[in-house]
Amino acid sequence: MVRCSNNLVGILNIVTLFLSIPIIAGGIWLSKQGNTECARFLDKPVIAIGVFILLVSIAGIVGSCCRVSWLMWVYLLVMFLLIVLLFCFTIFAFVVTNKGAGEAISGKGYKEYRLGDYSNWLQKRVNKNWGKISSCLADSKICQSLIEDVSTPVDDFYRKHLSALQSGCCKPSNDCNFQYVSPTNWIGNSTSSAINTDCATWNNDSSKLCYGCESCKAGLLDNIKTEWKKVAVINIIFLVFLIIVYSVGCCAFRNNTEDNSWKRYP
């Protein structure tokens, strides 16, 4: 007798099985071809995710299509734990990204970002790993367009709409009152460091700029906040999908149990 739920679980897991192959291939490519430490840092997590999806998919296919009850039970257990973890992460993401926002500056097209405005948990994580993060930001060339734009008049620069990372990492804080030369070249003054510690950290060297500034960390956190909220919304959709797959999987597991009982007691 054909079991619709078993076939549906099998089909869904065949799809995820094929999806896991490019994920694993992408991780291997990063490990071999990554030009920076930041790119190579992602290879192991990507490969691990791909292998996890591959193994779970195989368990789902064999468990549902070959009526292997114990493997189907393992598959459902993993799915249940995944649903719980995804639900917890989604709630956590909304909580830690609820605090903090850029400060609008009168007469400026960009905003200023202050580290203390953001979640304490995020601040601790960023401060702990800032050495590697700042190196990755420098490698990503987020300030390159401003470095190359040496002829922009000061009024045009102030009207620019900069990203959170560009505002925090590529220019000095508005508190410093530095004299503008170009977007990444400013003339400092002796009293500015007393107003904001970032003023003393600023460096016109294109490889340093404000990558060591608190405002750069704040800009990163604002970027993380935006991205995590997007991820949380996607997680909700994925969570609904997983719950549906889990429900169908439970039906398939019940079918396996009934079939095995029928064979045991003819």
Side-chain angles (χ1 to χ4, degrees), residues 38-82:
C38 305
R40 289 190 294 271
F41 174 74
L42 294 172
D43 62 349
K44 291 182 177 62
V46 169
I47 292 173
I49 291 171
V51 171
F52 174 77
I53 294 173
L54 178 68
L55 294 176
V56 172
S57 299
I58 292 173
I61 293 168
V62 176
S64 61
C65 297
C66 300
R67 306 293 196 271
V68 182
S69 295
W70 70 268
L71 201 54
M72 198 65 199
W73 184 88
V74 171
Y75 172 78
L76 289 175
L77 176 63
V78 172
M79 289 290 289
F80 176 76
L81 293 176
L82 190 59

Short mmCIF file of all heavy atoms in Angstrom, two decimals, residues 38-82:
data_model
loop_
_atom_site.label_atom_id
_atom_site.label_comp_id
_atom_site.label_asym_id
_atom_site.label_seq_id
_atom_site.Cartn_x
_atom_site.Cartn_y
_atom_site.Cartn_z
N CYS A 38 39.50 35.89 6.51
CA CYS A 38 38.06 36.02 6.77
C CYS A 38 37.25 35.08 5.89
O CYS A 38 36.28 34.49 6.33
CB CYS A 38 37.62 37.46 6.51
SG CYS A 38 38.57 38.65 7.45
N ALA A 39 37.65 34.95 4.64
CA ALA A 39 36.94 34.05 3.73
C ALA A 39 37.17 32.60 4.14
O ALA A 39 36.24 31.79 4.16
CB ALA A 39 37.42 34.27 2.29
N ARG A 40 38.41 32.26 4.51
CA ARG A 40 38.72 30.89 4.92
C ARG A 40 38.08 30.53 6.26
O ARG A 40 37.84 29.36 6.54
CB ARG A 40 40.24 30.70 4.99
CG ARG A 40 40.92 30.69 3.62
CD ARG A 40 42.37 30.25 3.74
NE ARG A 40 43.16 31.22 4.48
CZ ARG A 40 43.77 32.25 3.94
NH1 ARG A 40 43.68 32.47 2.63
NH2 ARG A 40 44.47 33.09 4.68
N PHE A 41 37.79 31.55 7.07
CA PHE A 41 37.16 31.32 8.38
C PHE A 41 35.78 30.67 8.22
O PHE A 41 35.33 29.94 9.10
CB PHE A 41 37.03 32.66 9.12
CG PHE A 41 36.28 32.57 10.41
CD1 PHE A 41 36.86 32.00 11.53
CD2 PHE A 41 34.98 33.06 10.50
CE1 PHE A 41 36.17 31.91 12.73
CE2 PHE A 41 34.29 32.98 11.70
CZ PHE A 41 34.88 32.42 12.81
N LEU A 42 35.13 30.91 7.07
CA LEU A 42 33.77 30.41 6.86
C LEU A 42 33.73 28.98 6.34
O LEU A 42 32.68 28.36 6.33
CB LEU A 42 33.04 31.32 5.87
CG LEU A 42 32.75 32.75 6.33
CD1 LEU A 42 32.20 33.56 5.17
CD2 LEU A 42 31.79 32.77 7.49
N ASP A 43 34.87 28.43 5.89
CA ASP A 43 34.84 27.14 5.20
C ASP A 43 34.35 26.01 6.09
O ASP A 43 33.49 25.22 5.69
CB ASP A 43 36.20 26.82 4.58
CG ASP A 43 37.31 26.70 5.63
OD1 ASP A 43 37.08 27.08 6.79
OD2 ASP A 43 38.42 26.25 5.26
N LYS A 44 34.87 25.91 7.31
CA LYS A 44 34.48 24.80 8.20
C LYS A 44 33.01 24.85 8.59
O LYS A 44 32.32 23.82 8.53
CB LYS A 44 35.39 24.77 9.43
CG LYS A 44 36.83 24.38 9.13
CD LYS A 44 37.67 24.31 10.39
CE LYS A 44 39.09 23.84 10.09
NZ LYS A 44 39.80 24.76 9.19
N PRO A 45 32.46 26.01 9.01
CA PRO A 45 31.02 26.05 9.30
C PRO A 45 30.15 25.70 8.10
O PRO A 45 29.15 24.99 8.25
CB PRO A 45 30.79 27.52 9.72
CG PRO A 45 32.11 27.99 10.22
CD PRO A 45 33.12 27.29 9.38
N VAL A 46 30.53 26.16 6.91
CA VAL A 46 29.75 25.87 5.71
C VAL A 46 29.77 24.38 5.40
O VAL A 46 28.73 23.76 5.10
CB VAL A 46 30.28 26.68 4.50
CG1 VAL A 46 29.64 26.20 3.20
CG2 VAL A 46 30.00 28.17 4.69
N ILE A 47 30.96 23.77 5.49
CA ILE A 47 31.07 22.32 5.25
C ILE A 47 30.27 21.55 6.29
O ILE A 47 29.56 20.58 5.95
CB ILE A 47 32.54 21.88 5.27
CG1 ILE A 47 33.29 22.46 4.06
CG2 ILE A 47 32.65 20.35 5.25
CD1 ILE A 47 34.79 22.22 4.08
N ALA A 48 30.34 21.97 7.56
CA ALA A 48 29.61 21.29 8.64
C ALA A 48 28.10 21.35 8.40
O ALA A 48 27.39 20.35 8.58
CB ALA A 48 29.96 21.92 9.98
N ILE A 49 27.60 22.51 7.98
CA ILE A 49 26.17 22.65 7.70
C ILE A 49 25.77 21.75 6.53
O ILE A 49 24.74 21.07 6.58
CB ILE A 49 25.83 24.13 7.38
CG1 ILE A 49 25.97 24.99 8.65
CG2 ILE A 49 24.41 24.25 6.82
CD1 ILE A 49 25.87 26.47 8.40
N GLY A 50 26.59 21.72 5.49
CA GLY A 50 26.31 20.88 4.33
C GLY A 50 26.27 19.41 4.68
O GLY A 50 25.36 18.67 4.25
N VAL A 51 27.24 18.95 5.47
CA VAL A 51 27.29 17.53 5.89
C VAL A 51 26.10 17.19 6.77
O VAL A 51 25.50 16.12 6.65
CB VAL A 51 28.62 17.23 6.61
CG1 VAL A 51 28.60 15.84 7.24
CG2 VAL A 51 29.80 17.35 5.65
N PHE A 52 25.73 18.11 7.67
CA PHE A 52 24.57 17.90 8.56
C PHE A 52 23.30 17.72 7.73
O PHE A 52 22.53 16.78 7.96
CB PHE A 52 24.43 19.08 9.51
CG PHE A 52 23.18 19.04 10.36
CD1 PHE A 52 23.11 18.19 11.45
CD2 PHE A 52 22.08 19.83 10.05
CE1 PHE A 52 21.96 18.13 12.23
CE2 PHE A 52 20.93 19.79 10.81
CZ PHE A 52 20.87 18.94 11.91
N ILE A 53 23.08 18.61 6.76
CA ILE A 53 21.89 18.51 5.90
C ILE A 53 21.92 17.21 5.11
O ILE A 53 20.89 16.53 4.95
CB ILE A 53 21.81 19.72 4.95
CG1 ILE A 53 21.59 21.02 5.73
CG2 ILE A 53 20.70 19.53 3.91
CD1 ILE A 53 21.66 22.28 4.89
N LEU A 54 23.10 16.82 4.63
CA LEU A 54 23.26 15.58 3.86
C LEU A 54 22.86 14.37 4.70
O LEU A 54 22.08 13.51 4.26
CB LEU A 54 24.70 15.44 3.38
CG LEU A 54 25.06 14.17 2.61
CD1 LEU A 54 24.37 14.17 1.25
CD2 LEU A 54 26.58 14.07 2.42
N LEU A 55 23.38 14.28 5.94
CA LEU A 55 23.11 13.13 6.80
C LEU A 55 21.64 13.06 7.21
O LEU A 55 21.03 11.98 7.21
CB LEU A 55 24.00 13.19 8.05
CG LEU A 55 25.51 13.03 7.80
CD1 LEU A 55 26.29 13.21 9.10
CD2 LEU A 55 25.81 11.67 7.18
N VAL A 56 21.07 14.22 7.56
CA VAL A 56 19.65 14.24 7.94
C VAL A 56 18.78 13.85 6.76
O VAL A 56 17.79 13.11 6.91
CB VAL A 56 19.26 15.65 8.46
CG1 VAL A 56 17.75 15.74 8.67
CG2 VAL A 56 19.97 15.95 9.77
N SER A 57 19.14 14.30 5.56
CA SER A 57 18.37 13.96 4.36
C SER A 57 18.42 12.46 4.08
O SER A 57 17.39 11.84 3.75
CB SER A 57 18.91 14.73 3.15
OG SER A 57 18.80 16.12 3.34
N ILE A 58 19.60 11.87 4.22
CA ILE A 58 19.74 10.42 4.00
C ILE A 58 18.90 9.64 5.01
O ILE A 58 18.21 8.68 4.66
CB ILE A 58 21.23 10.00 4.09
CG1 ILE A 58 22.01 10.58 2.90
CG2 ILE A 58 21.36 8.48 4.12
CD1 ILE A 58 23.51 10.37 2.99
N ALA A 59 18.94 10.10 6.28
CA ALA A 59 18.14 9.44 7.32
C ALA A 59 16.65 9.54 6.98
O ALA A 59 15.90 8.56 7.14
CB ALA A 59 18.42 10.10 8.67
N GLY A 60 16.21 10.69 6.49
CA GLY A 60 14.81 10.87 6.14
C GLY A 60 14.40 10.01 4.95
O GLY A 60 13.31 9.43 4.95
N ILE A 61 15.26 9.92 3.95
CA ILE A 61 14.96 9.13 2.75
C ILE A 61 14.87 7.64 3.09
O ILE A 61 13.89 6.96 2.75
CB ILE A 61 16.02 9.35 1.66
CG1 ILE A 61 15.94 10.80 1.14
CG2 ILE A 61 15.83 8.37 0.50
CD1 ILE A 61 17.12 11.21 0.27
N VAL A 62 15.91 7.13 3.76
CA VAL A 62 15.95 5.70 4.11
C VAL A 62 14.83 5.36 5.09
O VAL A 62 14.14 4.34 4.95
CB VAL A 62 17.33 5.32 4.70
CG1 VAL A 62 17.33 3.86 5.16
CG2 VAL A 62 18.43 5.56 3.68
N GLY A 63 14.65 6.24 6.10
CA GLY A 63 13.63 5.97 7.12
C GLY A 63 12.23 5.94 6.56
O GLY A 63 11.42 5.09 6.97
N SER A 64 11.92 6.84 5.63
CA SER A 64 10.55 6.92 5.10
C SER A 64 10.30 5.94 3.95
O SER A 64 9.27 5.28 3.91
CB SER A 64 10.25 8.35 4.64
OG SER A 64 11.14 8.74 3.61
N CYS A 65 11.23 5.85 3.03
CA CYS A 65 11.03 5.02 1.84
C CYS A 65 11.30 3.53 2.08
O CYS A 65 10.69 2.67 1.44
CB CYS A 65 11.90 5.53 0.70
SG CYS A 65 11.49 7.22 0.17
N CYS A 66 12.24 3.24 2.97
CA CYS A 66 12.59 1.83 3.25
C CYS A 66 11.92 1.32 4.53
O CYS A 66 12.22 0.21 4.98
CB CYS A 66 14.11 1.68 3.36
SG CYS A 66 14.98 2.15 1.85
N ARG A 67 11.07 2.14 5.12
CA ARG A 67 10.30 1.76 6.33
C ARG A 67 11.21 1.35 7.49
O ARG A 67 10.94 0.39 8.20
CB ARG A 67 9.34 0.62 6.01
CG ARG A 67 8.40 0.86 4.84
CD ARG A 67 7.40 1.97 5.14
NE ARG A 67 6.28 1.96 4.21
CZ ARG A 67 6.27 2.62 3.06
NH1 ARG A 67 7.34 3.32 2.71
NH2 ARG A 67 5.22 2.58 2.27
N VAL A 68 12.33 2.09 7.67
CA VAL A 68 13.24 1.80 8.80
C VAL A 68 12.81 2.68 9.97
O VAL A 68 13.13 3.87 10.02
CB VAL A 68 14.70 2.07 8.42
CG1 VAL A 68 15.64 1.73 9.57
CG2 VAL A 68 15.08 1.30 7.16
N SER A 69 12.09 2.09 10.91
CA SER A 69 11.45 2.86 11.99
C SER A 69 12.46 3.57 12.89
O SER A 69 12.27 4.74 13.24
CB SER A 69 10.56 1.96 12.83
OG SER A 69 9.48 1.48 12.06
N TRP A 70 13.55 2.88 13.27
CA TRP A 70 14.49 3.50 14.20
C TRP A 70 15.21 4.69 13.56
O TRP A 70 15.49 5.69 14.23
CB TRP A 70 15.52 2.48 14.70
CG TRP A 70 16.52 2.02 13.67
CD1 TRP A 70 16.42 0.95 12.85
CD2 TRP A 70 17.77 2.67 13.34
NE1 TRP A 70 17.52 0.85 12.04
CE2 TRP A 70 18.38 1.90 12.32
CE3 TRP A 70 18.44 3.79 13.81
CZ2 TRP A 70 19.60 2.22 11.76
CZ3 TRP A 70 19.67 4.13 13.25
CH2 TRP A 70 20.24 3.35 12.25
N LEU A 71 15.47 4.60 12.25
CA LEU A 71 16.10 5.72 11.55
C LEU A 71 15.13 6.89 11.40
O LEU A 71 15.53 8.05 11.50
CB LEU A 71 16.58 5.24 10.17
CG LEU A 71 17.68 6.08 9.49
CD1 LEU A 71 18.89 6.24 10.40
CD2 LEU A 71 18.08 5.43 8.17
N MET A 72 13.86 6.56 11.20
CA MET A 72 12.83 7.59 11.12
C MET A 72 12.69 8.28 12.47
O MET A 72 12.47 9.50 12.55
CB MET A 72 11.50 6.96 10.70
CG MET A 72 10.49 7.96 10.17
SD MET A 72 11.06 8.74 8.63
CE MET A 72 10.02 10.18 8.60
N TRP A 73 12.83 7.52 13.55
CA TRP A 73 12.75 8.09 14.90
C TRP A 73 13.91 9.06 15.13
O TRP A 73 13.70 10.15 15.69
CB TRP A 73 12.80 6.96 15.93
CG TRP A 73 12.62 7.43 17.34
CD1 TRP A 73 11.45 7.59 18.02
CD2 TRP A 73 13.67 7.79 18.25
NE1 TRP A 73 11.69 8.05 19.29
CE2 TRP A 73 13.05 8.18 19.47
CE3 TRP A 73 15.07 7.83 18.17
CZ2 TRP A 73 13.76 8.60 20.57
CZ3 TRP A 73 15.79 8.25 19.28
CH2 TRP A 73 15.14 8.63 20.46
N VAL A 74 15.11 8.68 14.70
CA VAL A 74 16.27 9.57 14.82
C VAL A 74 16.05 10.84 14.00
O VAL A 74 16.34 11.95 14.45
CB VAL A 74 17.56 8.84 14.35
CG1 VAL A 74 18.72 9.82 14.27
CG2 VAL A 74 17.90 7.69 15.29
N TYR A 75 15.52 10.67 12.80
CA TYR A 75 15.23 11.82 11.91
C TYR A 75 14.26 12.79 12.58
O TYR A 75 14.49 14.01 12.58
CB TYR A 75 14.65 11.30 10.60
CG TYR A 75 14.13 12.38 9.67
CD1 TYR A 75 14.99 13.14 8.91
CD2 TYR A 75 12.75 12.61 9.56
CE1 TYR A 75 14.51 14.13 8.06
CE2 TYR A 75 12.26 13.59 8.71
CZ TYR A 75 13.15 14.35 7.97
OH TYR A 75 12.66 15.32 7.13
N LEU A 76 13.20 12.25 13.18
CA LEU A 76 12.21 13.10 13.84
C LEU A 76 12.78 13.78 15.08
O LEU A 76 12.44 14.94 15.37
CB LEU A 76 10.97 12.27 14.22
CG LEU A 76 10.10 11.81 13.05
CD1 LEU A 76 8.99 10.90 13.54
CD2 LEU A 76 9.51 13.01 12.31
N LEU A 77 13.65 13.09 15.80
CA LEU A 77 14.29 13.68 16.97
C LEU A 77 15.15 14.88 16.57
O LEU A 77 15.09 15.95 17.20
CB LEU A 77 15.14 12.63 17.69
CG LEU A 77 15.94 13.13 18.90
CD1 LEU A 77 15.01 13.64 20.00
CD2 LEU A 77 16.85 12.03 19.45
N VAL A 78 15.95 14.68 15.50
CA VAL A 78 16.80 15.78 15.01
C VAL A 78 15.94 16.95 14.54
O VAL A 78 16.24 18.11 14.82
CB VAL A 78 17.70 15.27 13.86
CG1 VAL A 78 18.45 16.44 13.22
CG2 VAL A 78 18.70 14.25 14.38
N MET A 79 14.86 16.65 13.84
CA MET A 79 13.95 17.71 13.37
C MET A 79 13.33 18.46 14.53
O MET A 79 13.22 19.70 14.50
CB MET A 79 12.84 17.09 12.50
CG MET A 79 13.32 16.58 11.16
SD MET A 79 13.80 17.92 10.03
CE MET A 79 12.21 18.60 9.65
N PHE A 80 12.94 17.74 15.57
CA PHE A 80 12.34 18.38 16.74
C PHE A 80 13.34 19.31 17.43
O PHE A 80 13.01 20.45 17.77
CB PHE A 80 11.86 17.30 17.73
CG PHE A 80 11.31 17.88 19.01
CD1 PHE A 80 10.05 18.44 19.05
CD2 PHE A 80 12.09 17.86 20.17
CE1 PHE A 80 9.54 18.98 20.23
CE2 PHE A 80 11.59 18.40 21.35
CZ PHE A 80 10.32 18.96 21.39
N LEU A 81 14.57 18.83 17.61
CA LEU A 81 15.61 19.66 18.23
C LEU A 81 15.91 20.88 17.37
O LEU A 81 16.13 21.98 17.90
CB LEU A 81 16.88 18.83 18.43
CG LEU A 81 16.80 17.70 19.45
CD1 LEU A 81 18.10 16.90 19.48
CD2 LEU A 81 16.50 18.24 20.85
N LEU A 82 15.90 20.69 16.05
CA LEU A 82 16.16 21.80 15.13
C LEU A 82 15.06 22.86 15.24
O LEU A 82 15.34 24.06 15.23
CB LEU A 82 16.24 21.27 13.70
CG LEU A 82 16.74 22.24 12.62
CD1 LEU A 82 18.14 22.75 12.94
CD2 LEU A 82 16.72 21.57 11.25
#
